[in-house]
Amino acid sequence: MIETRETPLDEPLLLDLLNTTPIVDGAQRDDLADAEAGRRWLTAHDQPASDAEWHAILDARAALQNVVRGDEVPASLARFVDGVYYRASLAGDGVAWNLDLPKGRSAAARAVLTWDALRVSSPGRLRPCANPECRLFLIDHSKPNRARWCSMAACGNRMKARRHYQRTRSTT
């Protein structure tokens, strides 16, 4: 797959990938659990949908989740970008940069490249939800960078209600 370097980050791919292991009704669900589900997910994200891509995206998801949570070092992501390079070509009045991604793990490489671009351009804005019972992640685009929950309607409301209950219970 080839694209220009000026293409916007693929934040939806990265965030959707990180969020494929949600807690539903108290149990963790895996939206990429089988090859068919994995191929559907890859297709929905305009990525090649092969078994190799599915296996690579599963491995990349686990590594990225661990890195974002701080449980693994970023060097653990190196295997996903091995063989990725930008190729220069003349275009119009200047040079165009084309991204070459390895066949069989292009979606994994794209997710890791997006993670790194966010790490550099928006440090600390990609993070896990502050609700300890949640496994989702968020990218905070707010100016003050204070978003804490994956969803204000779900986790944010739950956590605020829990704190309120604890405060009022301790004063009575």
Side-chain angles (χ1 to χ4, degrees), residues 64-88:
L64 282 162
Q65 286 176 337
N66 288 332
V67 167
V68 173
R69 285 192 183 102
D71 298 335
E72 259 183 57
V73 295
S76 65
L77 301 172
R79 63 193 164 156
F80 301 108
V81 293
D82 186 37
V84 173
Y85 61 93
Y86 280 99
R87 184 175 34 84

Side-chain angles (χ1 to χ4, degrees), residues 21-151:
T21 56
I23 302 292
V24 179
D25 297 327
Q28 184 176 334
R29 182 180 75 201
D30 186 348
D31 295 340
L32 305 177
D34 60 72
E36 183 60 33
R39 285 191 296 272
R40 274 194 314 270
W41 188 91
L42 287 161
T43 300
H45 289 83
D46 297 322
Q47 300 301 307
S50 67
D51 282 348
E53 288 282 346
W54 171 59
H55 286 289
I57 204 75
L58 285 175
D59 291 343
R61 174 186 68 186
L64 282 162
Q65 286 176 337
N66 288 332
V67 167
V68 173
R69 285 192 183 102
D71 298 335
E72 259 183 57
V73 295
S76 65
L77 301 172
R79 63 193 164 156
F80 301 108
V81 293
D82 186 37
V84 173
Y85 61 93
Y86 280 99
R87 184 175 34 84
S89 62
L90 289 176
D93 293 336
V95 175
W97 291 95
N98 300 296
L99 178 62
D100 286 339
L101 297 168
K103 186 176 180 173
R105 55 187 171 85
S106 60
R110 183 180 299 282
V112 171
L113 291 172
T114 301
W115 163 82
D116 186 61
L118 280 169
R119 180 191 63 79
V120 171
S121 68
S122 305
R125 290 189 178 262
L126 173 62
R127 55 184 169 261
C129 179
N131 178 354
E133 298 167 6
C134 181
R135 292 206 26 98
L136 298 181
F137 294 81
L138 64 122
I139 300 173
D140 186 357
H141 290 288
S142 71
K143 190 172 182 177
N145 192 23
R146 291 190 188 141
R148 298 178 58 198
W149 302 288
C150 61
S151 163

